[in-house]
Amino acid sequence: MARNTAEAWLPEEWETSKIVQSVIQNSAIEDLSSPVTMGSDTKHVPRTAGMGVDVVDKGGAYGEDTSLNDEVLLSVKKLGKAARIAEEDIDDSVADLIQAKMLGWSKSYAKMLDNACLAVTAAPGTGVPFTSLYSLLHTTDATLGYTADTNITVAATAGAPTYGEFSTAIGNVEAGDYFDPGAMRAIAHPAFRKSLRGVLDTQNRPIFIEGLNGTPDTIFGVPIRWSLGARTSATATAAPTGRPIMAFVSPELMLLGRRSGPESVFIDGRDGLSALTDESILKMRARRAWAYGHPAGAAILVG
């Protein structure tokens, strides 16, 4: 085994790795986002405000489009953790202790990534790697013609959103230019499941349909992806404790930059100062960037 001075990070195989499959199963962001391959720490991704269309008479001149063309900047941040493992635990364990640690990290990473991308309330800074969807919708952007909180609906009674509040939230997206009924998804914390079961529309029909035989749960016909990271928090965390959110999003606008990982490195405890304690170090990380393409293309209900 290579010494810790030249240890290489080992990437997980995307198609076959149990670690990657665990991440995809637990992270709505990794599963649904449009992936952007990144060869450096930053990348500019084109964003368009759309393009108009006119009736052009025979022999007539084409009108020129005046829609805004700009860019979204993706900046890579590292999400990782290290674990010390005693040599005796590795030698004596019947189960694969290292694999168990890696699977545990994958689940925490999945929840933290979803939380960072969807529900962190603060702007990027210490403990806040990206501009979350909540922060984006909570901020005025005059260039894009968006006013803060326009697409955020807060339930009057915490934990018990009404039919009208669910309808208002999804309606904020349906009224916009970025509404795509075939592609829209809802990402929600499982805490919504209990309250949704009792919500009926004006015809006394349930708005929440639980999926059967592998079909997804739906709300107003929109597939729901459940995420334990979809609770508000001041900083990115794998265990958020704030109010649950349901985000109505377009996967096309969810831009997830992938620089590297999930990947791991195992530093042998028989080398250097670690030899004094017989402890090896397992490090896991993923380097990701995130941005949502346009605030008019998403809405959030705070439960």
Side-chain angles (χ1 to χ4, degrees):
M1 180 178 290
R3 299 278 65 85
N4 60 6
T5 54
E7 199 72 57
W9 286 88
L10 300 177
E12 296 293 320
E13 294 292 335
W14 199 258
E15 294 81 7
T16 60
S17 167
K18 291 182 180 180
I19 307 303
V20 171
Q21 295 309 309
S22 174
V23 168
I24 293 175
Q25 289 169 10
N26 289 281
S27 171
I29 295 299
E30 285 279 10
D31 187 29
L32 297 178
S33 295
S34 298
V36 179
T37 301
M38 299 187 67
S40 63
D41 284 351
T42 60
K43 185 172 185 176
H44 291 270
V45 180
R47 170 175 64 187
T48 176
M51 183 170 176
V53 60
D54 300 324
V55 175
V56 181
D57 294 330
K58 182 178 180 180
Y62 283 76
E64 293 191 28
D65 185 71
T66 59
S67 301
L68 177 68
N69 295 317
D70 64 354
E71 298 174 320
V72 173
L73 176 63
L74 294 175
S75 297
V76 169
K77 298 295 181 181
K78 182 166 53 181
L79 304 178
K81 199 74 172 180
R84 288 186 178 272
I85 307 175
E87 185 176 287
E88 295 91 333
D89 290 337
I90 297 175
D91 294 340
D92 298 343
S93 178
V94 175
D96 189 340
L97 181 59
I98 294 176
Q99 180 78 353
K101 285 285 188 182
M102 293 169 68
L103 283 170
W105 175 87
S106 71
K107 294 176 182 178
S108 293
Y109 161 74
K111 289 183 284 187
M112 185 176 190
L113 180 67
D114 283 9
N115 179 251
C117 296
L118 296 172
V120 171
T121 57
T126 302
V128 182
F130 319 120
T131 298
S132 73
L133 182 62
Y134 183 96
S135 180
L136 179 72
L137 300 186
H138 190 56
T139 305
T140 294
D141 190 328
T143 302
L144 298 178
Y146 177 79
T147 303
D149 297 330
T150 298
N151 283 12
I152 294 180
T153 303
V154 180
T157 303
T162 65
Y163 169 79
E165 289 164 342
F166 280 111
S167 180
T168 297
I170 194 172
N172 286 332
V173 182
E174 292 171 328
D177 291 336
Y178 290 87
F179 174 58
D180 183 347
M184 179 182 283
R185 294 292 184 271
I187 303 176
H189 192 277
F192 277 96
R193 294 178 67 90
K194 180 179 179 180
S195 60
L196 274 170
R197 292 187 183 104
V199 179
L200 305 177
D201 65 13
T202 54
Q203 304 299 316
N204 288 322
R205 298 170 300 186
I207 66 172
F208 173 53
I209 305 298
E210 296 187 80
L212 299 172
N213 300 322
T215 60
D217 298 337
T218 62
I219 177 172
F220 297 121
V222 175
I224 303 174
R225 183 64 159 78
W226 303 106
S227 170
L228 290 170
R231 278 189 184 271
T232 59
S233 61
T235 57
T237 175
T241 58
R243 294 178 68 170
I245 70 164
M246 174 175 284
F248 295 97
V249 297
S250 169
E252 182 181 2
L253 294 175
M254 299 199 309
L255 305 175
L256 180 67
R258 289 176 176 156
R259 182 69 177 91
S260 66
E263 55 193 351
S264 64
V265 62
F266 183 80
I267 303 172
D268 193 349
R270 300 176 185 178
D271 184 45
L273 293 177
S274 294
L276 297 177
T277 62
D278 289 338
E279 288 182 319
S280 297
I281 298 176
L282 172 67
K283 295 198 294 186
M284 293 287 297
R285 74 179 186 187
R287 300 171 67 195
R288 293 291 187 266
W290 156 265
Y292 197 84
H294 200 291
I300 284 177
L301 171 64
V302 180

